[in-house]
């Protein structure tokens, strides 16, 4: 059993995948993790569309320059603007879908599945491909697949953490 810090630190963006199907039960668990994210005012202004059909994945790839290799599944993480606009500040919903996305990445990693959040795609084309209504905006595509690479940890930028005040030193977090 891994600790949450081991899971957080061990996750990497994976951009090369094995040609191996992801079990439906695992996709469901990943989506369950997504819907348990926190959200402003508990509005849960998200919509998730999970895609496993290779033909649809090919079409999504064709309009997503930031997507690499052929993932076994994709989760489109979307904002429902009709729900997001129920608050005075619909921009808050970006935080909500970001938090749901992190849950997806960590749950996938814990299940042995590699993932990469992708923002570089044609939003309108994805709306059409997935039959999303106009008020449902795809914000991130998460590619999923059993990893065919093991990238080394990315460096952490030093000088980003302070204690008590900006500039306050509390010991180095980085090795
Ligand atoms: C909002 C956001 C958008 C991203 N878009 C892309 C993308 O379009 N294509 C891609 O390959 N990676 C994308 N990434 C993944 C980042 O490149 C990656 O998280 C970063 O390099 C750190 O590596 P790590 O995830 O292994 O820690 C995105 C990440 C975030 C948070």
């Amino acid at each position: 059993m891994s600790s949450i810090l081991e899971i957080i630190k061990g996750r990497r963006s994976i951009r090369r995948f094995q040609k191996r199907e992801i079990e439906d039960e695992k996709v469901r668990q990943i989506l369950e993790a997504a819907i348990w994210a926190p959200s402003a005012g508990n509005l849960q202004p998200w919509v998730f569309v999970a895609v496993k059909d290779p033909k649809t994945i090919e079409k999504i790839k064709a309009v997503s320059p930031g997507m690499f290799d052929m993932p076994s599944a994709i989760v489109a993480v979307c904002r429902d603007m009709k729900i997001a606009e129920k608050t005075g500040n619909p921009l808050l919903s970006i935080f909500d879908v970001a938090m749901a996305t992190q849950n997806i990445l960590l749950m996938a990693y814990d299940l042995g599945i590699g993932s990469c959040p992708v923002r570089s795609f044609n939003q309108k084309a994805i709306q059409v491909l997935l039959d999303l209504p106009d008020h449902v905006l795809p914000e991130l595509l998460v590619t999923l697949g059993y990893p065919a690479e093991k990238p080394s940890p990315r460096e952490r930028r030093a000088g980003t953490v302070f204690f008590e005040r900006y500039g306050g030193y509390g010991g180095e977090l980085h090795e």
Side-chain angles (χ1 to χ4, degrees):
M1 179 98 165
S2 312
S3 78
I4 187 75
L5 188 59
E6 279 168 342
I7 295 169
I8 290 168
K9 289 176 83 170
R11 180 211 58 82
R12 291 274 71 74
S13 287
I14 298 297
R15 299 182 178 86
R16 285 181 51 228
F17 302 105
Q18 297 172 33
K19 290 194 190 339
R20 176 178 159 197
E21 202 197 329
I22 301 177
E23 301 81 345
D24 287 341
E25 184 47 36
K26 291 193 176 176
V27 173
R28 286 184 174 281
Q29 272 182 272
I30 289 168
L31 295 169
E32 190 181 355
I35 65 169
W36 279 96
S39 61
N42 196 26
L43 280 184
Q44 304 167 42
W46 44 56
V47 172
F48 306 98
V49 181
V51 177
K52 280 181 70 179
D53 182 343
K55 288 193 207 97
T56 313
I57 291 177
E58 286 282 6
K59 288 180 192 159
I60 292 174
K61 250 190 80 103
V63 297
S64 307
M67 192 174 288
F68 298 92
D69 204 2
M70 181 67 185
S72 307
I74 293 173
V75 175
V77 179
C78 313
R79 275 194 302 162
D80 182 325
M81 296 313 292
K82 279 192 186 160
I83 298 176
E85 278 157 15
K86 285 184 183 162
T87 67
N89 187 356
L91 274 182
L92 288 178
S93 55
I94 277 289
F95 295 113
D96 304 333
V97 290
M99 291 193 189
T101 303
Q102 177 75 335
N103 280 10
I104 291 174
L105 307 181
L106 295 178
M107 188 70 239
Y109 177 66
D110 198 42
L111 294 169
I113 294 166
S115 66
C116 186
V118 172
R119 173 65 197 193
S120 170
F121 60 86
N122 182 316
Q123 217 177 18
K124 188 69 218 168
I126 296 295
Q127 268 184 315
V128 172
L129 274 172
L130 299 182
D131 285 341
L132 301 175
D134 285 347
H135 65 278
V136 176
L137 303 179
E139 298 295 355
L140 283 169
L141 300 175
V142 181
T143 53
L144 296 167
Y146 285 98
E149 63 172 348
K150 201 174 181 307
S152 338
R154 309 294 305 270
E155 247 181 48
R156 294 298 103 186
R157 196 159 66 81
T160 58
V161 177
F162 301 112
F163 293 85
E164 310 301 343
R165 58 174 182 81
Y166 184 84
Y169 183 71
E172 201 47 79
L173 289 179
H174 310 272
E175 285 99 55

